[in-house]
């Protein structure tokens, strides 16, 4: 009753404090760090939070940042005058997982305020120059294993397994060629989708009696913007309208490029049948698929050394939670439970002595929750004239926002639980 009846307390107008003196290397470091964080593929909320933590750790308490998917604006008020800077991402593609993990560890070291700024800039440049852990052949093998894993989850048939291996390796080779041939890199999604669709419709489906539409997504898994669309949904639900909308448009554009390749291949190949009699494997196939996905990421995405078993644990936890959500809720809303469980699991893994940063385990888990694969299947079915395409696109939209909401709620609950735990520890610990 007191809360309902007493008048609100008057606002307090704080006097502006003295402008701080900040190190000379701070703003250049924030610029380079912002570029690396943009290339890590995480949300603008996380990027802004991490830049602010580093700035505050070195005395810059009057910092304003504007983070977009393609740029970071930094403005720091100092005793010597205001300093402003702008940067874009370091690379056109997302950094490999071992570089993302190293950047995250650097941010955590800087957040303590004890690291030397000049040496940290050198360390950051060394991180961005780190080569992948494995060579080209291992990367092709990793892409083939990823294709098999997602194939066992999406369309698990015995006759399709050799197709997944061959097509996954072929697309992996195309990606290697594109890395060395900029012209092919620009059109690579269209070329890969065209070749995969044409081979599936004209050769694979008639020979093995398989639905060709359901075979398209696994070989093209590395082009599917599942993580991009999930992060876009997170930004939109967090009121980051400009960042979320631009990232969402980019993800949809990637799907449409793949769909353009599908349409072109269907036009060349002519009519085909989507009827198939190949029996599906049992419930266990999806769990084996998760294992293949983890092994594939180990070689294709180059996670930090010693992080494979932690990555496998996070993938199994997210997949199991999504399965529970499928039973309790619906297929479209099951991603909420997966995202809700993924955050505390990733944070717990990060706190382990040998655990990788949370972002390293969360990004592959976003792939596993399959919003991008489901969305591409819907667009492909629309392109090929299948009647269920619109329903799949709608289901994808619901899945995206359910996963995003689960991640946001899981992050808030994890932060609150950590705060309560610290308060309890302080209360029961005797003063010294």
């Amino acid at each position: 009753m007191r809360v309902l009846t007493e008048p609100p307390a008057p606002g307090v107008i704080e006097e502006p404090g003295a402008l701080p003196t900040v190190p000379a290397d701070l703003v250049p470091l924030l610029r380079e760090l912002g570029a690396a964080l943009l290339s890590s593929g995480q949300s603008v909320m996380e990027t802004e939070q991490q830049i602010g933590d580093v700035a505050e750790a070195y005395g810059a308490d009057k910092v304003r940042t504007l983070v977009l998917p393609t740029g970071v604006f930094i403005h720091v008020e100092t005793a010597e005058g205001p300093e402003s800077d702008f940067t874009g991402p370091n690379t056109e593609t997302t950094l490999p997982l071992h570089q993302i993990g190293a950047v995250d560890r650097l941010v955590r070291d800087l957040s303590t305020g004890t690291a030397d700024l000049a040496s940290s800039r050198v360390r950051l440049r060394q991180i961005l120059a780190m080569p992948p852990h494995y060579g080209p052949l291992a990367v092709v093998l990793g892409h083939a294993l990823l294709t098999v894993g997602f194939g066992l989850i999406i369309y698990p048939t015995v006759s399709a397994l050799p197709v997944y291996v061959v097509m996954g390796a072929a697309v992996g080779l195309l990606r290697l060629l594109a890395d060395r041939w900029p012209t092919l890199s620009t059109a690579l999604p269209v070329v890969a989708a065209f070749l995969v669709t044409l081979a599936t419709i004209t050769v694979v489906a008639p020979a093995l009696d398989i639905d060709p539409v359901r075979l398209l997504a696994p070989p093209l898994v590395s082009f599917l913007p599942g993580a991009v669309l999930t992060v876009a949904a997170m930004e939109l639900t967090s009121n980051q309208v400009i960042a979320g909308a631009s990232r969402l448009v980019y993800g949809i554009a990637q799907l449409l490029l793949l769909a353009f390749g599908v349409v072109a291949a269907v036009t060349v190949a002519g009519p085909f049948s989507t009827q198939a009699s190949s029996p599906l494997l049992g419930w266990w196939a999806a769990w084996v698929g998760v294992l293949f996905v983890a092994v594939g990421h180990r070689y294709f995405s180059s996670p930090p050394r010693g992080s494979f078993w932690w990555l496998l644990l996070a993938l199994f936890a997210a997949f199991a939670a999504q399965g529970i959500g499928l039973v309790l809720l619906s297929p479209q809303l099951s991603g909420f439970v997966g995202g809700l469980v993924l955050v505390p699991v990733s944070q717990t893994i990060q706190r382990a002595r040998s655990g990788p940063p949370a972002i390293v385990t969360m990004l592959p888990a976003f792939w596993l929750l399959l919003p991008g694969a489901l969305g591409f299947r819907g667009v492909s079915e629309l392109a090929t004239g299948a009647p269920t395409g619109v329903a799949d696109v709608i289901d994808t939209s619901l899945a995206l926002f359910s996963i995003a909401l689960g991640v946001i709620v899981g992050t808030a609950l994890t932060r609150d639980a950590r705060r309560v735990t610290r308060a309890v520890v302080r209360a029961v610990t005797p003063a010294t």
Side-chain angles (χ1 to χ4, degrees):
M1 291 298 295
R2 183 169 64 253
V3 171
L4 294 174
T5 57
E6 67 181 5
V12 178
I13 301 177
E14 296 183 357
E15 293 294 332
L19 294 177
T21 300
V22 300
D25 287 330
L26 180 60
V27 175
L29 173 65
L30 293 179
R31 180 190 67 243
E32 297 183 27
L33 192 62
L37 292 173
L38 286 178
S39 299
S40 298
Q42 59 188 358
S43 67
V44 298
M45 298 86 71
E46 285 292 327
T47 302
E48 185 174 349
Q49 178 67 41
Q50 290 177 319
I51 292 176
D53 290 343
V54 173
E56 186 177 356
Y58 288 89
D61 54 355
K62 299 185 182 301
V63 178
R64 285 176 289 179
T65 58
L66 175 61
V67 182
L68 298 173
T70 56
V72 176
F73 299 86
I74 303 171
H75 182 82
V76 181
E77 295 285 348
T78 70
E80 292 78 15
E83 295 187 43
S84 300
D85 214 330
F86 168 77
T87 186
N90 284 316
T91 59
E92 295 182 358
T93 58
T94 304
L95 296 176
L97 290 180
H98 71 293
Q99 292 184 359
I100 294 176
V103 170
D104 188 87
R105 293 187 185 279
L106 174 61
V107 170
R108 282 191 281 167
D109 292 342
L110 288 168
S111 298
T112 62
T114 57
D116 180 71
L117 296 180
S119 60
S120 295
R121 293 179 66 186
V122 175
R123 177 182 167 187
L124 178 59
R125 294 167 187 170
Q126 292 173 344
I127 289 173
L128 298 178
M130 291 167 54
H133 293 324
Y134 302 100
L137 292 180
V139 173
V140 173
L141 173 63
H143 197 278
L145 293 175
L146 278 174
T147 302
V148 173
F150 280 94
L152 288 172
I153 297 172
I154 299 172
Y155 190 42
T157 65
V158 175
S159 56
L161 292 180
V163 179
Y164 293 145
V165 174
V166 173
M167 287 194 173
V171 174
L173 285 173
L174 280 176
R175 293 189 68 95
L176 287 180
L177 290 176
D179 291 339
R180 295 162 175 78
W181 188 10
T183 304
L184 177 60
S185 178
T186 304
L188 184 59
V190 178
V191 173
F194 176 82
L195 294 177
V196 168
T197 304
L198 187 63
T200 301
I201 293 176
T202 59
V203 179
V204 176
L208 302 179
D209 192 20
I210 296 177
D211 181 1
V213 175
R214 302 184 67 180
L215 286 179
L216 299 182
L220 302 172
V221 63
S222 59
F223 298 104
L224 298 175
V228 172
L229 293 174
T230 304
V231 172
M234 291 170 55
E235 291 169 344
L236 288 173
T237 52
S238 300
N239 204 29
Q240 296 288 342
V241 180
I242 297 177
S246 59
R247 206 185 296 266
L248 182 64
V249 170
Y250 171 76
I252 294 174
Q254 291 296 107
L255 291 177
L256 292 178
L257 284 175
L258 294 172
F260 181 85
V262 173
V263 173
V266 170
T267 303
V268 173
F272 62 93
S273 173
T274 58
Q275 301 296 323
S277 60
S278 300
L280 300 180
L281 299 174
W283 59 268
W284 52 268
W287 293 93
V288 177
V290 176
L291 176 61
F292 272 92
V293 169
V295 178
H297 272 299
R298 178 178 184 178
Y299 296 104
F300 180 75
S301 303
S302 186
R305 297 192 184 278
S307 62
F308 170 74
W309 296 107
W310 295 115
L311 176 60
L312 183 63
L313 173 61
L315 292 177
F316 271 120
F319 189 74
Q322 190 178 32
I324 295 173
L326 183 63
V327 175
L328 299 178
L329 300 173
S330 67
Q332 298 85 359
L333 302 180
S334 61
F336 172 80
V337 183
L340 185 67
V341 172
L342 174 62
V343 175
V345 170
S346 299
Q347 293 290 341
T348 303
I349 289 174
Q350 177 178 274
R351 292 179 174 275
R353 177 174 299 181
S354 60
I359 187 67
V360 171
T361 53
M362 290 183 69
L363 287 179
F366 286 157
W367 282 33
L368 188 64
L369 296 178
L370 287 181
L374 183 60
F376 174 62
R377 190 177 70 190
V379 174
S380 300
E381 289 171 345
L382 284 174
T384 55
T388 57
V390 175
D392 279 342
V393 172
I394 295 175
D395 290 345
T396 300
S397 302
L398 293 175
L400 284 173
F401 285 95
S402 67
I403 295 169
L405 185 59
V407 171
I408 292 172
V409 174
T411 302
L413 292 178
T414 303
R415 182 176 58 249
D416 293 343
R418 190 181 303 123
R419 185 184 301 114
V420 170
T421 302
R422 287 197 296 263
V424 171
V425 171
R426 285 196 301 267
V428 301
T429 302
T432 56

